[in-house]
Amino acid sequence: MMHHSLTIDQDVCWGCTHCMKQCPTQAIRIHDGHAHVLSGLCINCGQCLHACPHGAIRIEQTPFGEVTRYARRVAIVPAIFFAQFPDTYTIPHICQAIRQLGFTDLYLAESGVDVLNQLSPRIIPKTGLTISNYCPAVMKLIQMRYPLLLEDLTLRRPPSQIMAMFARAEILAEGVDAQTIGVFYFTPCAAKIAQIKTTGSDESRLFQGAINMDTAYNKVREYLSSHKTPDPSLPDGFTFPGCTASALLWSTVKGECIGVTERAMAVDEMHNVIDFLEQLEEDENTNLNFLELDACAEGCAGGVLTVRNRFLANERLRHWAQSLPSELDDALQERIDQYQDIIRNDMEMERPIPSEALVWDTDTSKAIHKMENSRMIANALPGIDCGLCGAPTCRTLAEDIARSEASIRQCVVLKLKDPKLMNQLSKIWGDRSLGKGLYNGSDVS
């Protein structure tokens, strides 16, 4: 079962509906004055976190103290983390700060792009469409709502996973006990945390924890504020030295398309992604060979756990890339070749399987009956999607009523417009009183 990293603090939530209106998968309901997340519909994209004006939505993380449990403490850091800082702080200075937080080894996540390109240069097969699996929220969305497109997902592991494997292989080669190695990922993304914390997932095998990027930023910024210049007596730099210019831009919009010579396109921001996937599912002939999809606007720079303006962050990445080489040097290629067998044997992940979003009923005949009922209930509702009932649309309220998770009496518009009709409909579709079992067993907050 997918772990969920987002929770709602009921003591802080006002039930204002901002999160409900912003949620791209209609996973939020307002009940008894508070927001609730339907776990089966949530893809952990974090759009609700951005929308909440009261700070009621939280993203869990691995406690920072967990890092000290390991003798070798490896930080897999995406380039976008460094772009959170203004130019007054150099990359080596930021690296030194990360080391002073307690990490013994530091690898740049985008170096995994170079490893992949070195060992398996071709991103896409010769025919058909390939969809990137880089964005975990998009991958979960496809599993949940567009299962027919799962066959088009690339199976190459994301760069961060490759670097986790590479780092562990290098440290093990030093004769270090595997149990003493802890690999932690600095993430801008709530969906990545959910992947890492999902029992049995590839990420839970490769990473011992996830550090929220805003938490890491605050700790590094605190160190930098008290250490205005790098200390020459302390080590800095990457254990795995840098990456190529194109690899550094991987997490930006069109970053993955850079390495594709065939027809390729990038779509960012979750509502745009959903609109495009709807067209794709309808068999629209796009003639595309590669499709890059990012849940956040401007790619990972717009992640819910970033702290800096996404446009400024992307500009710093592009500026940094101008100073990097276009190809790997011989020493780095030899370093990759040394562990190529280990990486090649585990370079592809298992194909994701469909996940059921909305459970109508475990009995097929009852499920079909409830689906038919939801269509009839939707026809009786006003269809104006005002949200006053606590559901994002009239259709979702109808689905909740058909699954006995809500009452038609929640429709304020129908109640005011025609009370007699409301009473008649409540006799037909049930007269469940508010507060008795609504959303029981399906909410996670």
Side-chain angles (χ1 to χ4, degrees), residues 386-407:
C386 64
L388 292 174
C389 61
T393 65
C394 292
R395 180 185 59 78
T396 52
L397 176 61
E399 291 173 351
D400 291 348
I401 295 170
R403 294 186 300 121
S404 301
E405 294 287 346
S407 165

Side-chain angles (χ1 to χ4, degrees), residues 259-420:
V260 179
T261 55
E262 296 87 345
R263 297 183 66 172
M265 190 177 78
V267 181
D268 66 323
E269 207 280 319
M270 185 54 87
H271 290 87
N272 295 331
V273 168
I274 290 174
D275 286 346
F276 190 81
L277 288 176
E278 295 285 348
Q279 291 188 38
L280 204 60
E281 199 181 43
E282 292 174 1
D283 290 331
E284 179 161 322
N285 186 9
T286 61
N287 291 320
L288 290 170
N289 300 103
F290 182 73
L291 181 59
E292 172 192 323
L293 301 172
D294 298 295
C296 297
E298 292 292 311
C300 291
V304 294
L305 294 171
T306 56
V307 299
R308 198 180 192 197
N309 177 280
R310 59 181 181 266
F311 301 105
L312 285 173
N314 269 342
E315 192 282 331
R316 185 171 190 190
L317 273 187
R318 289 191 292 272
H319 181 69
W320 182 8
Q322 291 175 3
S323 65
L324 297 178
S326 59
E327 296 184 359
L328 290 175
D329 59 36
D330 292 340
L332 201 48
Q333 290 189 28
E334 289 178 7
R335 199 169 163 184
I336 295 172
D337 290 342
Q338 190 175 352
Y339 301 101
Q340 62 173 309
D341 290 340
I342 295 174
I343 304 295
R344 284 187 196 280
N345 289 337
D346 199 14
M347 198 153 56
E348 291 195 348
M349 59 185 195
E350 292 184 6
R351 187 170 297 285
I353 59 174
S355 60
E356 195 169 16
L358 195 64
V359 179
W360 290 93
D361 200 293
T362 53
D363 185 299
T364 304
S365 61
K366 290 181 179 178
I368 293 173
H369 181 65
K370 289 179 179 179
M371 292 172 69
E372 292 173 347
N373 281 350
S374 76
R375 283 191 284 271
M376 288 189 282
I377 296 169
N379 290 333
L381 293 173
I384 59 175
D385 298 340
C386 64
L388 292 174
C389 61
T393 65
C394 292
R395 180 185 59 78
T396 52
L397 176 61
E399 291 173 351
D400 291 348
I401 295 170
R403 294 186 300 121
S404 301
E405 294 287 346
S407 165
I408 198 166
R409 290 191 177 277
Q410 290 174 231
C411 180
V412 179
V413 175
L414 196 58
K415 189 184 298 182
L416 293 174
K417 186 177 178 180
D418 194 340
K420 290 185 178 178

Side-chain angles (χ1 to χ4, degrees), residues 120-280:
S120 179
R122 188 167 181 80
I123 296 177
I124 60 177
K126 292 182 178 179
T127 58
L129 172 66
T130 297
I131 302 176
S132 167
N133 65 4
Y134 178 63
C135 178
V138 170
M139 193 165 79
K140 182 61 181 175
L141 176 72
I142 293 174
Q143 286 181 270
M144 193 177 72
R145 289 177 54 171
Y146 310 100
L148 294 178
L149 299 178
L150 285 173
E151 287 293 320
D152 298 325
L153 279 175
T154 177
L155 298 182
R156 287 208 324 179
R157 292 193 182 281
S160 59
Q161 290 189 16
I162 294 294
M163 284 319 291
M165 295 163 55
F166 189 92
R168 186 172 289 276
E170 281 205 324
I171 296 171
L172 286 174
E174 298 175 18
V176 176
D177 181 357
Q179 299 301 317
T180 65
I181 303 173
V183 183
F184 296 84
Y185 183 63
F186 285 21
T187 178
C189 172
K192 194 68 176 178
I193 296 172
Q195 279 188 333
I196 290 173
K197 287 186 171 291
T198 296
T199 304
S201 68
D202 279 344
E203 286 77 9
S204 69
R205 173 173 63 89
L206 295 171
F207 296 98
Q208 278 60 60
I211 305 297
N212 289 12
M213 189 167 284
D214 54 355
T215 300
Y217 172 84
N218 289 331
K219 289 181 177 294
V220 169
R221 190 63 188 260
E222 183 180 358
Y223 175 88
L224 295 174
S225 298
S226 58
H227 299 77
K228 300 295 183 184
T229 58
D231 185 339
S233 66
L234 296 174
D236 55 32
F238 296 114
T239 307
F240 191 87
C243 66
T244 60
S246 60
L248 192 78
L249 298 175
W250 175 270
S251 66
T252 63
V253 175
K254 298 183 180 177
E256 296 177 65
C257 295
I258 293 174
V260 179
T261 55
E262 296 87 345
R263 297 183 66 172
M265 190 177 78
V267 181
D268 66 323
E269 207 280 319
M270 185 54 87
H271 290 87
N272 295 331
V273 168
I274 290 174
D275 286 346
F276 190 81
L277 288 176
E278 295 285 348
Q279 291 188 38
L280 204 60

Side-chain angles (χ1 to χ4, degrees), residues 17 33-34 49 104 135 137 159 175 187 209 238 244 347 356 426 438-439 441:
T17 75
H34 302 293
L49 182 73
T104 59
C135 178
T187 178
F238 296 114
T244 60
M347 198 153 56
E356 195 169 16
S426 66
L438 295 180
Y439 311 123

Side-chain angles (χ1 to χ4, degrees), residues 65-82:
E66 287 287 306
V67 175
T68 58
R69 290 179 51 198
Y70 299 89
R72 293 297 289 266
R73 303 175 288 275
V74 183
I76 305 294
V77 185
I80 198 63
F81 177 75
F82 297 94

